[in-house]
Amino acid sequence: MEEINTILFGTSGYTDTEAGMYEDVRTKGRDGILPIIFMHSTMSVKKVGKDSIELEITAPDMEDIFEYLPDTENGYADTEKGFLEYLEDYAAAAERKKSTVWVPYSIEGERIVIEYYSEEFIRTVTGGFTDAYSRLYMDVLEEYQKGV
């Protein structure tokens, strides 16, 4: 699990504090899949309601990221680093998708807690990367089951 967290988030320990540090991830240049996508994304607050916030998110369209996987013929090393380089290039060149999403929040004492964990928010902020990954995983699983 630590390896997966390191690949996705650039750290093996993904804490609640880090979840709210979207801007921090963008500026510190941490390694990992999500920070790469976030570097090419923008988020702005459109409205604040009684218990939710409307966000406008512009993110690279990552829905087809796994259609043409990188290979050594295209100049990408057949390693995790090579995949991350491919991801960076793909995200930089991808069309931008602009979407609006509402995220709930609550006030706990003097602290505002924004709940960024909804499927809709994650799908939007990653430009569809999570859906693309799910499709790839299901395709690999199906191929594996055929071979067993």
Side-chain angles (χ1 to χ4, degrees), residues 45-140:
V45 175
K46 299 311 269 180
K47 289 183 190 172
V48 177
K50 180 180 173 185
D51 58 0
S52 61
I53 301 171
E54 181 182 22
L55 299 172
E56 183 176 82
I57 298 170
T58 303
D61 185 347
M62 304 299 286
E63 291 184 20
D64 294 329
I65 181 92
F66 297 114
E67 294 299 315
Y68 305 99
L69 288 173
D71 57 35
T72 53
E73 292 176 16
N74 294 330
Y76 296 102
D78 193 15
T79 63
E80 177 185 326
K81 182 179 179 191
F83 175 73
L84 292 175
E85 289 171 359
Y86 166 73
L87 179 74
E88 170 66 37
D89 292 346
Y90 189 97
E95 273 188 48
R96 299 298 184 253
K97 295 169 52 170
K98 186 180 283 192
S99 305
T100 302
V101 64
W102 285 89
V103 293
Y105 75 91
S106 60
I107 299 174
E108 298 176 3
E110 294 182 17
R111 185 173 173 217
I112 297 172
V113 179
I114 302 172
E115 298 177 30
Y116 292 112
Y117 302 107
S118 75
E119 186 176 331
E120 180 185 15
F121 175 78
I122 292 170
R123 179 182 298 120
T124 303
V125 78
T126 64
F129 179 85
T130 54
D131 290 335
Y133 179 79
S134 293
R135 286 192 306 274
L136 175 67
Y137 183 83
M138 294 307 294
D139 290 348
V140 168

